[in-house]
Amino acid sequence: VKEAGRNNFHFYTGEMNAHALRWMSLEVHLRHAVERNELRLYFQPQVSLADGRVTGVEALLRWQSAELGMIPPGDFIPLAEDSGLILDIGTWVIEEACRQMKAWHAKGLPPMTVAVNVSARQFATGTVPAVVRKALRDNGVAPRWLEVELTESVMMHDSDHTQMQLNELAAMGVSISLDDFGTGYSSLGYLSRFRLDKLKIDQTFVKNITTDPRSAAIARATTALAHGLNLIVVAEGVETEGQLAFLRDMGCDKIQGYLFSRPLPVDELSVLLLEQRML
Ligand code: C2E
Ligand code: CA
Ligand code: CA
Ligand code: CA
């Protein structure tokens, strides 16, 4: 037992060093990721429960590093936020989403919304509306097809500054979606103050919706509240038929989750959309 404990200790410090090293080397590598074309957008469909069709996709970052392999966003977004790299990366995400929309339009695919995640740090610069306007214009994309996803934390920090930018985006015709609802410092005041179009029920509630009455109650109340404010309700992280049935019953408008599709690289998404068009 004693020996095992000592091994554990060694193992633990080894892990700590490895972790620190990995973090430092990650930052160095991440700095070059954009220039070296190592970032990719994957797209996860959102499906309307009214007719079962894909009405839009969420763009999710992937980093395919030559040295480090495939790194999921949960492992590098926090680092990108800390280091400020999220500003360049976030701009790239908005531009790439618009380039992709242009390519889909050129292929004759039916138009659909593309949602991009925009972090608090990006809003803090005050440049989000300008970046969005330029990306849309450069690619000839109508603003109504772009959706900006933000979390409650964005509205919390310097909310006047954020509100102005959201108003500007809304005036352009871009939709605004409130992500991860119920997990942050939720305040109902935000819902009336900010001009929103969509609300996404967080996957932690969806996960337990059929087994935990409290998660179900929160999801139900959130849906009623959102509908009262004329917001579209999207449930994320839908993995089972049971969850789907529950959400449908509850009046949820759209679902996103592995049950329908994982986030897909662009080629695979195009195949899925072309198949749908032929139905
Ligand atoms: P998010 O915005 O809440 O995105 C939803 C996450 O849930 C995605 O993880 C998606 O792959 C995952 N997901 C979707 N359906 C299911 C399901 O049925 N079951 C489960 N267990 N998970 C599901 P992903 O792609 O790893 O992204 C993680 C987070 O990284 C995102 O959470 C978002 O906060 C952040 N992120 C991703 N792309 C960007 C980006 O371009 N900019 C910024 N600022 N953040 C991003
Ligand atoms: Ca999101
Ligand atoms: Ca989310
Ligand atoms: Ca999340």
Side-chain angles (χ1 to χ4, degrees), residues 118-174:
V118 178
S119 78
R121 281 250 358 217
Q122 286 172 268
F123 276 103
T125 65
T127 59
V128 175
V131 168
V132 165
R133 184 177 280 114
K134 182 173 187 308
L136 290 169
R137 190 188 289 144
D138 286 351
N139 293 286
V141 173
R144 58 182 296 232
W145 302 116
L146 186 70
E147 191 169 285
V148 164
E149 286 197 9
L150 49 95
T151 57
E152 292 156 309
S153 65
V154 172
M155 302 194 284
M156 228 177 60
H157 298 300
D158 198 359
S159 60
D160 288 341
H161 191 223
T162 304
Q163 194 174 7
M164 268 169 41
Q165 293 175 78
L166 294 185
N167 287 343
E168 202 176 330
L169 289 168
M172 258 183 249
V174 171

Side-chain angles (χ1 to χ4, degrees), residues 151 179-180 183 202-203 236:
T151 57
D179 202 0
D180 301 347
T183 60
D202 190 69
Q203 42 188 291
E236 62 178 11

Side-chain angles (χ1 to χ4, degrees), residues 58 60 117 149 151 178-181 200-203 236 256:
E58 177 177 4
L60 292 158
N117 292 282
E149 286 197 9
T151 57
L178 182 55
D179 202 0
D180 301 347
F181 186 75
K200 297 184 82 172
I201 299 178
D202 190 69
Q203 42 188 291
E236 62 178 11
Q256 184 182 341

